[in-house]
Amino acid sequence: MSLPLLAGVFLVLIALGYHFYGGFLARQYRLDGEAVTPAREKEDGMDFVPTRPFYLLGQHFSAIAAAGPIAGPIMAAQQFGWLPALLWISFGVVFIGAMHDLSTLVASVRHGATSIADVVRTYLGPRAGLAMLAFIWVALVYVIVAFTDATASTFVSGDVEMQGLTFRFNPGGAVAAASIMYLLLAIVMGLVDRFLKPPLWLQTVIFVPATLAAVWLGTRLSTVLVMDARTWSILILAYCLVASVTPVWLLLQPRGYLGGFVLYFALAVGTIGLFFGGFEVSQPAFKGFNIPGAAGSLFPFLFVTIACGACSGFHGLVCSGTTSKQIAKETHCHPVGYGAMLLEGFVAVIALATVMIATGSELTGKAPGAVYGAGLGRFLVVIIGEENLVFATTFGAMAFSTFVFDTLDVSTRLGRYILQEMVGAKGKLSSFIATVVTCGVPLGFVLLAGSGAWRSFWTLFGTSNQLLAALSLLGICVWMKKSGRGYVWALLPMCFVSVVTLVSLVFQIRDAFFVPQATVAVRVNGVVSVVLLVLALSLFTLGARVLLDRQRQRIAPAM
């Protein structure tokens, strides 16, 4: 089957979705280009900054399009085949994911750029707000767990097809070395910018090529950093601890800037490979509804495996945390909120394509980062030649790890903020303790389960991520009802995602407590699933009371 044809059809689909369904949602929210947004009302040059939609779209896209839309589609295609994965991405991103992102962004803008948890607290009460914060914190912990273990597995992975070179080469070690040098480059850039203050264009000319040089040097130093996955997991979590308490100018900002170039370069390479690489689909479209060794049956596990790329509750935290503070006009919510999620869907399709063109040896037992690296490497050699396959593959896997570091840093910081807010603590000491707890819990999970448990962790990560989206949509529905407006277009996706994720939680609880041979990772997931289920049901109960109360008076801000 033709890869360019599939990619072309998908691009047409999301273009139509943006114009018609995105336009429909914009009309439902009555987006007003003349309304004063929080970015203009509270403009302070730091947090509240009115930003042109083109630049804000790029910033928002970089914030949401991390490693999630890469790892999930790859894992789902490995287990169930690429066709069900592609169908879920196509349907989910247009009718659920992009709708969710637009809705949380608009809700935050209309409520003074507050978080989605604050919106829930406003309409469902303090208990619901606290439950929502607790749910978000647990979900963030699982973001850290899943990505830490998956990245550690990438750092120890190998590829037999790369043997026989003129120098000793360890693929996992090359990715690890390149990733560490990338982080060191970001720190150097932060120091240079802080104390020498050269123009941004000069820093770009120096440090962006240096990032690519780090990839090449990593292939030459691939045998220097060879460790087991357990050790890498500990080191990655130590990075989370240090990075999340480091001043943003030293690491977060320069790493995000360089990571943006890596993201767009990877996106460009993937696009060129899809349309001009001459690749054909070599993997089966459908492998079955229940595959031995997979996470479980196609329903519900296909849907929760592909969270980012189809529907992600994590995006609501970004929309209501930073992006809403930069919306200059309400009408910009459509291209920024809805449009960026559609672009992430295309990132997911590129990741899916790396599975579709892979050989059996490139898929069997491989972590998502290794699969993505091999596939993106094949796309890149279309441009730079087959003789540079080692560099190309290392770049692909390193790109995946750079996205992971972005996700880990943001998740740890958010986890710290939420934990402090839950207990009402402030100050540097409480900030450090909250960071230690947010990193310590994932460390305990990883040490208990052992290395290589990322597939089990990913299942619960995807479940909690999508259930967070359903709970956010619950808050949207309650807000719309109290505004005297219709909300069926949010209610139906909320019900679908709720059913999928609650069934997934029940299945994981069953596997943990009623299957004798369950692994430690599965049992850990079962315990956490019980916590998430209790929190979610309490929120759904409070929300249902409001939605089913026909006597409820209109108290929400005017739409």
Side-chain angles (χ1 to χ4, degrees):
M1 183 172 290
S2 172
L3 201 57
L5 177 61
L6 289 173
V9 170
F10 179 81
L11 288 177
V12 170
L13 174 66
I14 61 175
L16 293 173
Y18 176 84
H19 179 74
F20 290 105
Y21 196 63
F24 164 78
L25 294 173
R27 291 189 295 274
Q28 297 304 304
Y29 283 118
R30 299 178 183 175
L31 299 182
D32 182 3
E34 302 301 321
V36 178
T37 63
R40 294 197 178 278
E41 182 181 4
K42 305 177 183 180
E43 183 174 359
D44 59 8
M46 182 175 297
D47 294 321
F48 292 86
V49 181
T51 306
R52 285 179 290 177
F54 176 79
Y55 293 105
L56 185 55
L57 171 63
Q59 176 186 322
H60 180 70
F61 174 60
S62 298
I64 64 172
I70 295 173
I74 289 175
M75 294 175 62
Q78 285 176 310
Q79 297 175 70
F80 304 110
W82 59 262
L83 182 57
L86 180 60
L87 291 174
W88 167 229
I89 293 169
S90 302
F91 169 82
V93 74
V94 171
F95 295 104
I96 303 178
M99 181 275 295
H100 163 271
D101 289 14
L102 172 62
S103 298
T104 53
L105 181 57
V106 173
S108 180
V109 170
R110 292 274 174 84
H111 291 81
T114 57
S115 71
I116 190 64
D118 287 327
V119 174
V120 170
R121 182 188 294 113
T122 298
Y123 297 111
L124 294 180
R127 285 176 50 204
L130 184 61
M132 188 71 169
L133 286 174
F135 188 97
I136 292 172
W137 187 79
V138 175
L140 288 171
V141 164
Y142 255 79
V143 172
I144 298 170
V145 171
F147 281 113
T148 294
D149 203 29
T151 305
S153 299
T154 300
F155 285 175
V156 300
S157 63
D159 192 332
V160 296
E161 293 185 5
M162 291 188 178
Q163 306 306 317
L165 300 173
T166 57
F167 56 91
R168 291 186 61 195
F169 179 70
N170 181 290
V175 177
S179 300
I180 291 174
M181 286 186 283
Y182 159 77
L183 294 175
L184 293 175
L185 275 174
I187 293 174
V188 173
M189 182 177 177
L191 293 170
V192 168
D193 181 68
R194 181 76 170 183
F195 297 107
L196 300 181
K197 302 186 186 308
L200 183 60
W201 69 264
L202 181 58
Q203 297 182 60
T204 303
V205 169
I206 294 173
F207 286 99
V208 172
T211 301
L212 297 178
V215 177
W216 178 85
L217 188 57
T219 64
R220 265 55 183 179
L221 301 176
S222 64
T223 59
V224 175
L225 296 173
V226 178
M227 291 177 275
D228 58 42
R230 183 189 183 95
T231 303
W232 275 121
S233 293
I234 295 172
L235 291 176
I236 292 170
L237 288 170
Y239 161 81
C240 292
L241 176 65
V242 174
S244 64
V245 296
T246 299
V248 294
W249 61 263
L250 182 60
L251 180 57
L252 187 147
Q253 289 177 341
R255 192 207 59 229
Y257 184 74
L258 294 177
F261 282 94
V262 175
L263 170 62
Y264 290 115
F265 188 51
L267 187 60
V269 169
T271 303
I272 292 171
L274 278 175
F275 288 101
F276 305 106
F279 295 101
E280 292 291 325
V281 178
S282 59
Q283 289 295 313
F286 182 63
K287 296 183 178 180
F289 290 98
N290 199 343
I291 308 301
S297 57
L298 187 143
F299 181 87
F301 293 107
L302 167 74
F303 301 96
V304 298
T305 300
I306 305 176
C308 304
C311 174
S312 171
F314 181 79
H315 293 185
L317 305 182
V318 177
C319 289
S320 63
T322 56
T323 304
S324 62
K325 296 177 175 64
Q326 301 174 71
I327 291 290
K329 296 182 178 181
E330 283 190 358
T331 50
H332 295 170
C333 292
H334 181 196
V336 174
Y338 198 88
M341 182 58 195
L342 295 181
L343 290 176
E344 179 173 291
F346 187 57
V347 173
V349 169
I350 291 176
L352 190 62
T354 64
V355 176
M356 296 163 71
I357 66 171
T359 63
S361 62
E362 292 173 333
L363 288 181
T364 306
K366 296 294 179 63
V371 176
Y372 182 74
L376 200 67
R378 293 179 66 183
F379 289 155
L380 183 54
V381 297
V382 172
I383 305 170
I384 64 176
E386 287 283 347
E387 65 276 11
N388 296 302
L389 179 61
V390 169
F391 169 86
T393 303
T394 302
F395 169 79
M398 191 274 282
F400 176 82
S401 69
T402 63
F403 307 152
V404 167
F405 287 128
D406 285 345
T407 302
L408 290 175
D409 191 343
V410 172
S411 298
T412 306
R413 287 177 184 271
L414 287 174
R416 181 184 81 210
Y417 299 152
I418 289 171
L419 202 56
Q420 285 183 275
E421 183 176 351
M422 287 172 59
V423 300
K426 298 181 179 180
K428 292 184 177 180
L429 179 60
S430 65
S431 174
F432 180 74
I433 293 174
T435 304
V436 170
V437 173
T438 302
C439 293
V441 173
L443 176 62
F445 286 176
V446 170
L447 294 180
L448 275 174
S451 61
W454 50 269
R455 290 187 183 275
S456 296
F457 288 140
W458 186 273
T459 301
L460 188 52
F461 152 69
T463 303
S464 62
N465 191 8
Q466 287 197 346
L467 188 49
L468 175 57
L471 294 172
S472 298
L473 289 176
L474 174 66
I476 300 297
C477 290
V478 172
W479 167 46
M480 295 297 285
K481 177 181 175 63
K482 291 191 174 185
S483 301
R485 301 296 308 281
Y487 53 89
V488 66
W489 40 266
L491 180 65
L492 293 179
M494 182 204 74
C495 292
F496 174 75
V497 176
S498 299
V499 169
V500 167
T501 51
L502 292 176
V503 170
S504 175
L505 287 179
V506 171
F507 281 5
Q508 291 178 77
I509 293 171
R510 177 203 64 189
D511 292 345
F513 299 113
F514 300 100
V515 176
Q517 65 271 28
T519 64
V520 174
V522 171
R523 295 193 185 281
V524 169
N525 280 358
V527 173
V528 178
S529 294
V530 171
V531 174
L532 293 175
L533 186 62
V534 170
L535 290 171
L537 290 178
S538 66
L539 284 163
F540 282 127
T541 300
L542 292 171
R545 289 175 181 172
V546 176
L547 295 177
L548 296 175
D549 185 359
R550 296 183 180 275
Q551 304 301 318
R552 187 73 57 174
Q553 298 296 312
R554 173 175 170 169
I555 62 172
M559 290 293 297

